[in-house]
Amino acid sequence: MWFSEDAWTPMFLFGSVGVILAFVSVAQQKMKLLAVAALLGVVCGVIYFVEQKIVTDGEKIEMQIYELAEDFHGNDLAAVIAHFSPQDKALQGVATAAVTMVDIAKDYRITDLQVTTKAENTLAESHFRANVTATVVGYGNVGRQPTRWKVNWQKMADEWRIIEVKRLQVIGDQEMGILEKQQ
């Protein structure tokens, strides 16, 4: 487990200390402090490259959400279904209906993405907003639609699969139907 979700926090910390030490070393003419400042700069670079190699479970789920959105945009039903638990045929049916009935434009945006893992990284909950321009069978182009989602995940055979999907009102925490029109 990596000690930080991103590389920027520790890099900022070590970089700030390094800059302060560099200024102090110049002011006090102490080469040892300048060497420590340079070492902290190297540590920042190492942290960046190590963080690029480490992918946390939260980051894996974030990538899955973006992949799911791209698969949905491309109307790739098999790829969309692959994101869901193979045991939950009802949820797969809802996903199939959604892909069949709704086309989203390429201008979709995923924002406010948060992932929380629990149960020793075997369960996770994600919350995000998806803003899409949609065309719905029977309604035509419904324009730009803001949506909010809470999706629960379970690790199965070392892969994250969706086990529950809730669509939420854009404002508030009231649940609504997945294909229901926003009030």
Side-chain angles (χ1 to χ4, degrees):
M1 178 87 183
W2 188 239
F3 65 92
S4 175
E5 191 64 31
D6 66 9
W8 300 111
T9 304
M11 286 174 57
F12 178 76
L13 176 68
F14 288 119
S16 297
V17 171
V19 168
I20 291 169
L21 286 178
F23 281 125
V24 170
S25 85
V26 169
Q28 296 181 359
Q29 300 292 317
K30 294 187 178 181
M31 293 307 290
K32 287 182 182 178
L33 289 179
L34 189 58
V36 172
L39 180 64
L40 288 175
V42 170
V43 168
C44 286
V46 169
I47 288 172
Y48 178 79
F49 288 108
V50 167
E51 205 283 334
Q52 295 299 308
K53 298 289 183 200
I54 296 173
V55 181
T56 65
D57 285 320
E59 291 170 330
K60 288 177 184 177
I61 291 170
E62 286 179 22
M63 287 187 281
Q64 287 249 5
I65 290 168
Y66 286 110
E67 286 174 18
L68 177 60
E70 192 60 33
D71 294 339
F72 195 96
H73 165 68
N75 290 322
D76 188 344
L77 182 58
V80 169
I81 296 300
H83 291 279
F84 291 85
S85 168
Q87 291 84 14
D88 196 337
K89 299 300 180 191
L91 195 53
Q92 289 180 7
V94 171
T96 300
V99 170
T100 305
M101 294 176 60
V102 180
D103 285 321
I104 62 171
K106 183 64 178 168
D107 67 346
Y108 69 85
R109 284 189 45 221
I110 306 293
T111 61
D112 189 23
L113 177 55
Q114 301 164 12
V115 177
T116 306
T117 58
K118 47 190 169 186
E120 297 180 2
N121 291 334
T122 59
L123 296 174
E125 180 179 275
S126 62
H127 173 272
F128 59 94
R129 294 175 187 271
N131 301 310
V132 301
T133 302
T135 303
V136 180
V137 172
Y139 292 99
N141 186 334
V142 294
R144 190 87 173 148
Q145 298 294 314
T147 62
R148 216 170 118 226
W149 302 87
K150 186 181 283 187
V151 179
N152 291 325
W153 302 76
Q154 183 175 2
K155 199 174 226 181
M156 300 176 181
D158 208 35
E159 292 188 23
W160 288 98
R161 299 287 183 235
I162 297 170
I163 57 171
E164 182 180 35
V165 177
K166 294 180 183 175
R167 184 170 172 207
L168 305 173
Q169 291 282 345
V170 174
I171 298 175
D173 285 333
Q174 186 176 355
E175 192 175 333
M176 60 187 291
I178 290 178
L179 295 175
E180 184 179 336
K181 185 177 178 183
Q182 193 78 247
Q183 299 295 334

